[in-house]
């Protein structure tokens, strides 16, 4: 029903920056809250950031606050995650997800997921 495609991942040295993008299908993108999650090898998927359907409200995990910025452009059906001051512990597969209307940090409450984009941070 809703297709999400992440891009922008890659191999970056510690201290560098990346901008991840998540392109969504459909004309109802503006009705969906969006979230970013990540999963490191051997770890459970964890919440990173979320943004309301209008873009008026954002929320971040404590571990990334001040370094990550989530934004959206509803005209382009795209959500972004700007990552600065990358650390090796940021290495993970990053996923975007969509939930109708209401934002949440809970993985189980998102209905649509992308396939993920790999972010690898070298020391």
């Amino acid at each position: 029903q809703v297709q999400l495609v992440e891009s922008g991942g890659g191999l970056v040295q510690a201290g560098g920056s990346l901008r991840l993008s998540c392109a969504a299908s459909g004309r109802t993108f503006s009705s969906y809250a969006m979230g970013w999650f990540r999963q490191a090898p051997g770890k459970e998927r964890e919440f990173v950031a979320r943004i309301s359907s209008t873009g008026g409200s954002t929320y971040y995990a404590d571990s990334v606050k001040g370094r990550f910025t989530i934004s959206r452009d509803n005209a382009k059906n795209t959500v972004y995650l700007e990552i600065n001051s990358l650390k090796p512990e940021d290495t993970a597969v990053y996923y975007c997800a969509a939930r109708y209307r209401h934002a949440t940090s809970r993985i189980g409450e998102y209905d649509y997921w992308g396939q993920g984009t790999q972010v690898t941070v070298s020391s």
Side-chain angles (χ1 to χ4, degrees), residues 16-102:
S17 299
L18 279 176
R19 187 197 192 201
L20 308 183
S21 298
C22 175
S25 65
R27 291 187 175 90
T28 60
F29 177 72
S30 61
S31 297
Y32 287 84
M34 301 293 295
W36 283 98
F37 297 79
R38 67 185 182 185
Q39 187 167 20
K43 304 292 185 179
E44 295 185 353
R45 191 169 301 184
E46 65 176 350
F47 167 77
V48 174
R50 71 182 191 227
I51 188 167
S52 61
S53 59
T54 64
S57 179
T58 60
Y59 186 79
Y60 300 89
D62 289 341
S63 60
V64 306
K65 190 176 298 182
R67 298 190 298 120
F68 289 24
T69 302
I70 187 172
S71 62
R72 68 190 296 158
D73 186 340
N74 285 350
K76 296 181 178 179
N77 279 20
T78 303
V79 174
Y80 305 96
L81 185 68
E82 187 76 30
I83 310 175
N84 298 309
S85 301
L86 278 160
K87 305 175 181 179
E89 51 262 45
D90 293 322
T91 296
V93 177
Y94 284 71
Y95 300 89
C96 69
R99 186 179 191 273
Y100 188 63
R101 290 195 178 277
H102 302 300

Side-chain angles (χ1 to χ4, degrees), residues 1-4 32 34-35 96-100 109-114:
Q1 187 175 356
V2 177
Q3 296 182 44
L4 305 173
Y32 287 84
M34 301 293 295
C96 69
R99 186 179 191 273
Y100 188 63
E109 294 184 354
Y110 281 85
D111 298 312
Y112 305 102
W113 294 82

